[in-house]
Amino acid sequence: MPKRKAAAPARPRRRLGPPAPQPLPPGLPRAWYEDHNRRLKAMRLAIVLLDSGNYLPQQATNRRIRSVASRIGIHRPSAVTCRAVRSLLA
């Protein structure tokens, strides 16, 4: 009979879901924080659009992005944020 391999040690289980939020670095210009938050919002909206079957930037109109935002409880995105969402889908 062939020898059996020793059982591998159990790996610690990873927590499912988004990572825990970390504090933003202090002392940066206000524009940096605004841009950072805009990118996070665009990423959240792009994920929801992808999950709902909108894979192309042409499918993501401003109206559709804003309706998704209201449906998931995010403030109405600006035109700049909508462009950022489409660039993430591209």
Side-chain angles (χ1 to χ4, degrees):
M1 271 194 186
K3 289 186 176 181
R4 290 188 179 187
K5 292 184 180 181
R11 291 185 190 150
R13 292 202 169 236
R14 292 186 61 187
R15 188 179 79 112
L16 296 178
Q22 296 183 0
L24 295 175
L28 295 172
R30 181 176 177 82
W32 185 91
Y33 296 105
E34 291 170 355
D35 188 50
H36 176 76
N37 289 331
R38 177 172 283 127
R39 282 182 274 142
L40 289 177
K41 183 185 225 179
M43 192 168 28
R44 284 193 301 266
L45 290 168
I47 290 168
V48 172
L49 284 168
L50 288 170
D51 287 344
S52 66
N54 297 298
Y55 302 113
L56 301 174
Q58 297 85 358
Q59 295 173 319
T61 61
N62 285 0
R63 174 178 269 171
R64 178 167 285 160
I65 292 170
R66 289 176 178 147
S67 69
V68 165
S70 67
R71 192 172 64 221
I72 63 174
I74 296 177
H75 285 284
R76 185 177 186 269
S78 66
V80 175
T81 305
C82 290
R83 276 195 308 268
V85 170
R86 283 189 287 276
S87 71
L88 287 171
L89 294 176

